[in-house]
């Protein structure tokens, strides 16, 4: 073979080998991870759950943020907030139904969404939903209400109504990874139709605009060992209804005086000002704790409605208890000595908040 033919053979052979190598690599490459949008579609189809309802439950729980596998306040994980605590074990339930590992359910969005769909379908089966019922989003209300894990009828309704509100209004398109079109629905509340919102008819004696819905007596102390001298700002690391439910769980051993909702600034008081909530370790005796719905690393929860409502509450508390309206006396959980928490975190806008406190 002359040198020209030999060079051609080497060139062609090398190219063929390279092509075969690429083909071989493609054949053995790991499958592409589905997008969150695809994960919701796949999970909804697999477990026969209405996709937009599944998305709405996830958004109500976490704003579709898995928080890199970090737990919520009541030890819930991932986009769908699969829980592992003494009262609820939806994480373990999801693992058994899906054969996904607990680690993947905690840290992998697609696995977590699949797990959430599996649990929601199991609750639908328990509620007696047949195939025809499962086609109608309205009929899923009892299953959604149960997914929140609350004991009282009023909290179940509060939780389910929040999810159905997102079905009707849609979820914010900015910053989200999921497509969803709003659709007007009239949820079939069944036995929960007569359930009142938590604290309806019972207003707070300490702050009349707030709803009074007390924490479990096992989660706070009666009375004070020191005069009230500061307000501590917290972030719940969870949803509004879930936080209220957790403070009413005797296993929690934690509470705050007030909880503020992200969407509209609704406030629930759970511990009287004169009593000691368990929220800031060494600061408990002299502080009033205010929890704000959301997660430290996700600024989408910190709405103007929340800042305004909480600012008005803090202004009232400072005036009532003689607390100076400054950053030495209105502090974050992370600023209380002896605490290892990071809330309210870098996304909390102190200038905006203090502007409302002093406005």
């Amino acid at each position: 073979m002359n040198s020209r033919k030999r060079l051609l053979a080497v060139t062609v052979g090398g190219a063929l080998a390279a092509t075969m190598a690429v083909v071989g690599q493609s054949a053995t490459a790991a499958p592409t991870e589905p997008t969150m949008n695809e994960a919701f579609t796949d999970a909804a189809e697999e477990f026969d759950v209405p996709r937009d309802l599944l998305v709405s439950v996830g958004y109500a729980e976490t704003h579709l943020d898995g928080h890199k596998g970090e737990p919520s306040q009541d030890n819930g994980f991932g986009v769908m907030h699969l829980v592992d605590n003494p009262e609820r074990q939806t994480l373990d339930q999801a693992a058994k139904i899906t054969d996904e590992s607990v680690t993947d359910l905690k840290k992998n969005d697609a696995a977590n969404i699949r797990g959430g769909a599996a649990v929601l379908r199991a609750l639908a089966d328990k509620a007696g939903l047949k195939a025809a019922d499962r086609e109608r989003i309205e009929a899923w209300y009892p299953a959604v209400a149960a997914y929140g894990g609350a004991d009282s009828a009023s909290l179940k309704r509060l939780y389910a109504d929040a999810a159905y509100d997102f079905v009707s209004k849609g979820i914010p398109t900015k910053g989200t990874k999921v497509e969803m079109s709003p659709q007007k629905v009239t949820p079939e509340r069944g036995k929960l139709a007569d359930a009142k919102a938590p604290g309806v008819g019972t207003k707070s004696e300490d702050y009349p605009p707030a709803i009074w819905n007390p924490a479990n007596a096992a989660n706070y102390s009666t009375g004070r060992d020191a005069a009230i001298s500061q307000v501590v700002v917290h972030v719940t690391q969870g949803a509004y209804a879930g936080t209220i439910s957790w403070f009413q769980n005797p296993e929690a051993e934690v509470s705050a005086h007030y909880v503020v909702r992200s969407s509209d600034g609704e406030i629930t008081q759970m511990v009287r000002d004169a009593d000691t909530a368990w929220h800031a370790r060494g600061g408990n005796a002299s502080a009033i704790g205010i929890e704000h719905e959301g997660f430290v690393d996700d600024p989408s929860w910190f709405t103007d409605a929340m800042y305004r409502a909480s600012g008005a509450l803090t202004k009232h508390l400072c005036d009532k208890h003689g607390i100076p309206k400054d950053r030495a006396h209105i502090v974050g959980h992370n600023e209380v000595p002896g605490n290892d928490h990071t809330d309210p975190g870098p996304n909390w806008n102190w200038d905006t908040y203090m502007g409302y406190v002093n406005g």
Side-chain angles (χ1 to χ4, degrees), residues 42-184:
D42 294 344
E45 290 178 355
E46 180 180 359
F47 293 100
D48 197 17
V49 178
R51 180 188 181 279
D52 289 352
L53 182 66
L54 186 63
V55 172
S56 295
V57 170
Y59 193 84
E61 286 279 13
T62 66
H63 283 196
L64 307 183
D65 189 337
H67 305 287
K68 300 178 181 178
E70 293 297 316
S72 69
Q73 181 167 236
D74 55 347
N75 214 43
F77 296 87
V79 171
M80 299 303 298
H81 196 243
L82 297 173
V83 178
D84 179 22
N85 67 44
E87 297 294 318
R88 293 174 63 202
Q89 292 86 38
T90 53
L91 180 66
D92 183 63
Q93 181 184 12
K96 290 177 179 177
I97 297 173
T98 63
D99 287 328
E100 299 275 7
S101 70
V102 168
T103 298
D104 282 346
L105 287 168
K106 287 180 177 181
K107 297 184 177 182
N108 182 280
D109 287 344
N112 186 272
I113 291 167
R114 185 169 176 256
V119 171
L120 197 56
R121 171 59 190 275
L123 291 170
D125 291 345
K126 186 176 182 179
L129 269 66
K130 304 301 182 184
D133 297 321
R134 294 196 300 272
E135 296 300 314
R136 299 183 300 106
I137 290 182
E138 295 88 344
W140 282 78
Y141 192 92
V144 174
Y147 190 95
D151 290 328
S152 71
S154 60
L155 275 177
K156 287 180 179 178
R157 176 163 176 172
L158 178 68
Y159 177 88
D161 281 354
Y164 272 85
D165 194 46
F166 286 120
V167 173
S168 294
K169 295 180 179 178
I171 62 174
T173 55
K174 184 178 180 180
T176 59
K177 308 170 185 176
V178 176
E179 297 172 3
M180 176 187 151
S181 299
Q183 51 182 307
K184 289 294 181 182

Side-chain angles (χ1 to χ4, degrees), residues 9-27:
V10 169
T11 302
V12 173
L16 180 59
T19 301
M20 292 179 67
V22 170
V23 171
Q25 288 174 2
S26 299

Side-chain angles (χ1 to χ4, degrees), residues 168-253:
S168 294
K169 295 180 179 178
I171 62 174
T173 55
K174 184 178 180 180
T176 59
K177 308 170 185 176
V178 176
E179 297 172 3
M180 176 187 151
S181 299
Q183 51 182 307
K184 289 294 181 182
V185 295
T186 303
E188 297 173 4
R189 294 188 174 92
K191 295 179 180 179
L192 295 176
D194 295 327
K196 295 181 179 180
V200 166
T202 308
K203 293 298 181 182
S204 162
E205 293 181 22
D206 292 317
Y207 185 58
I211 297 165
W212 170 244
N213 194 22
N216 190 284
N219 295 331
Y220 67 93
S221 302
T222 302
R224 292 267 187 179
D225 292 331
I228 298 170
S229 60
Q230 65 179 182
V231 174
V232 178
V233 173
H234 301 264
V235 174
T236 60
Q237 294 299 98
Y240 181 68
T243 298
I244 295 171
S245 180
W246 185 236
F247 290 168
Q248 292 181 334
N249 184 333
E251 300 285 341
E253 298 184 345

Side-chain angles (χ1 to χ4, degrees), residues 305-329:
M306 173 183 280
Y307 283 128
R308 285 178 182 274
S310 182
L313 168 61
T314 296
K315 180 178 182 178
H316 166 85
L317 293 172
C318 289
D319 290 341
K320 178 180 179 181
H321 299 291
I323 304 170
K325 300 186 187 78
D326 57 39
R327 284 284 285 112
H329 297 85

Side-chain angles (χ1 to χ4, degrees), residues 293-310:
E293 181 185 28
F295 290 81
V296 168
D297 60 358
D298 186 351
S300 68
W301 292 91
F302 304 147
T303 63
D304 189 63
M306 173 183 280
Y307 283 128
R308 285 178 182 274
S310 182

